Amino acid sequence: MLFNSIFKVSDLEIFQRKHKWLIWTKLKQKSVEDLMNYKLNVFCDVTLATELDEIINLYIVYKVDYSLQDLKELPIGNWTEQAGLRVQVRGTKIERRSNLGGVQVKSQTVFSSLKFKTIDENRLQLLMNNSYEKYKDNLPRYTIVLFLNLAKLYNFTLNISIADEWGSKKQNGEYSGLIGALQRNITDIGLSGFHRERSIPFLDFSALLWKNRPIFLYRSLRPFASAYSLVLPFSRSTWLCIFVMLGFIAFTLLIARRFNRSRREDCSISGSCLVTLAIFCQQGFESCSSRLSERIILLTALIFGLIICTFYNSIIVTLALKQKLVTVRNADDLLNSDMKIGIYDEKILREYFETSNNSLVSKLYQKKIKGQPSSFLTDEKGLALIRTSNYFAFYGSENLLYKTVYEKFSMNEVCQLSEVELVEPYQVPSPMRKNFFLKEFINCGPVRLKEIGVVARELSIWYPGKVRCQASPDSPSVTINCLVIAYAIYCSGLIISIVIMLVELVVFNRRKQQHASA
């Protein structure tokens, strides 16, 4: 009667829930044979108690899978009236029951680049070799390798198949693809990273396996690649203050010379401007007045020019030693810059930018993405625009962008790349069906693999992190483009002087003619 009730309870799979069961029996062997037919699994807490010669012996009983007939029976202690309860249990439940021999775990994965429809032993060996189609579908391939290591750790069999797609919701409420297979219990776990969606109630998630770090990648200016290289050391407001100060010095010098009334000194506006510019550029001045007021003006102007020029020259030298000039350091700088942006064309990223509650993401979408049909691009097209433009940033996951950079960018181009984080990096788990009885093993297994170095080794193989610049730190060559402003100033002055000279000649000839006629 008792075991009939237990059999009904096992049909409800209540043994798989977090209850502790104690079964008292006088016929131990008969009870063990009966329990073989019940739906027990590896995480059941079922203790069998039987009395023999006034000693009550305690046994833990479980099956690695309720579909198997092999019932595990482990003695854990006993109870006597004199000594009381004596129980010896070593290690955690996962450590004691880590041998899952005979368990078949069904899994599916999804490939976006590789055109595999099925996986046999030969194709599995190709997928595990990183030199084959390097960095293509690296996340599902890394997950496959990690779960194969888990299969070795726990001695279970991992059956791998390929789904056509991740899956989308149908009108009848069911899902297609991998998600649909998890919904219908066709598969136990998905071997690929998955963004958590709490709106899908039949999914559980494994331990965090993969770091997703979305970034904006753009090409920084080289220090002397711009036509404005000579004005880079100072901001616009600083240059404005300098010119205002130079104008004030020229004005005070003009007033001082006008009061001096010396015939030896040029008291014109142009003469005062030339002297001020010569002092500022540390070229000195033609003569020194005997008046104390003018000497003070000249001395303070000389010190002012010395300080400004020293700072300017030191910043120029510093820029010459840099391999790139970073002008956008965070998402706020990107929002306020003239830089155009592109987004990796992926459904998740489209929905994220369109529906995000993050104020910065929302402003970025409204200002630079919305209404721009060319904003969502493939990774190859987006990175091609980075190579050809200094005012374009492309958004995607770090491992996606850098695997293309690794394949197609030269080291000189790599050294010019800079990145900006829009959101904090986050971990990506793998999906599994709800109430999967090996969930605790799947979650604890990567921790063990991490302790023995397997996770770090596989991540170094499969995760294409940031490509490091390995160029020599030699100073860049100064091209004609860097000195455009200097040539422009001289040429504009030359043109103005020629025009004024022609005007003066015309005026002089007219006055000469008028004087001759008079």
Side-chain angles (χ1 to χ4, degrees), residues 20-29 31-32 35 40 44-53 55-62 71-79 85-89 96-97:
K20 296 184 182 296
W21 298 84
L22 176 64
I23 301 176
W24 179 275
T25 179
K26 293 183 179 180
L27 302 174
K28 172 178 172 291
Q29 191 60 36
S31 300
V32 169
L35 287 172
L40 307 178
C44 292
D45 274 315
V46 179
T47 303
L48 193 65
T50 180
E51 184 177 2
L52 180 63
D53 298 331
I55 300 176
I56 299 176
N57 295 307
L58 302 175
Y59 302 87
I60 289 179
V61 291
Y62 69 93
L71 185 72
K72 305 294 183 181
E73 175 190 343
L74 302 175
I76 61 170
N78 56 60
W79 180 89
L85 181 63
R86 293 183 296 179
V87 177
Q88 294 182 350
V89 180
R96 296 193 304 270
R97 306 182 186 186

Side-chain angles (χ1 to χ4, degrees), residues 252-365:
T252 55
L253 184 60
L254 176 64
I255 298 300
R257 288 189 169 184
R258 289 281 176 90
F259 277 104
N260 189 16
R261 298 178 181 177
S262 174
R263 294 182 178 181
R264 294 181 303 172
E265 295 181 349
D266 188 356
C267 297
S268 65
I269 297 177
S270 59
S272 298
C273 291
L274 286 174
V275 171
T276 302
L277 187 60
I279 295 172
F280 177 76
C281 297
Q282 303 299 292
Q283 300 303 311
F285 37 85
E286 79 283 5
S287 63
C288 184
S289 174
S290 60
R291 293 173 63 88
L292 182 60
S293 57
E294 188 175 345
R295 288 190 175 192
I296 292 175
I297 293 173
L298 294 173
L299 179 62
T300 52
L302 190 63
I303 296 175
F304 169 77
L306 177 63
I307 294 174
I308 298 296
C309 289
T310 302
F311 271 95
Y312 180 86
N313 293 332
S314 61
I315 295 174
I316 285 290
V317 172
T318 303
L319 289 175
L321 296 177
K322 284 187 174 182
Q323 292 178 336
K324 61 183 178 182
L325 185 64
V326 180
T327 56
V328 178
R329 301 183 182 275
N330 51 50
D332 289 314
D333 292 344
L334 182 63
L335 177 64
N336 297 321
S337 70
D338 297 330
M339 191 174 290
K340 295 181 179 180
I341 66 172
I343 311 296
Y344 177 58
D345 192 4
E346 189 177 31
K347 181 181 178 181
I348 294 175
L349 290 180
R350 281 181 177 267
E351 294 177 352
Y352 173 72
F353 276 93
E354 292 173 358
T355 62
S356 177
N357 294 324
N358 187 310
S359 60
L360 185 58
V361 175
S362 180
K363 290 178 182 177
L364 201 62
Y365 176 75

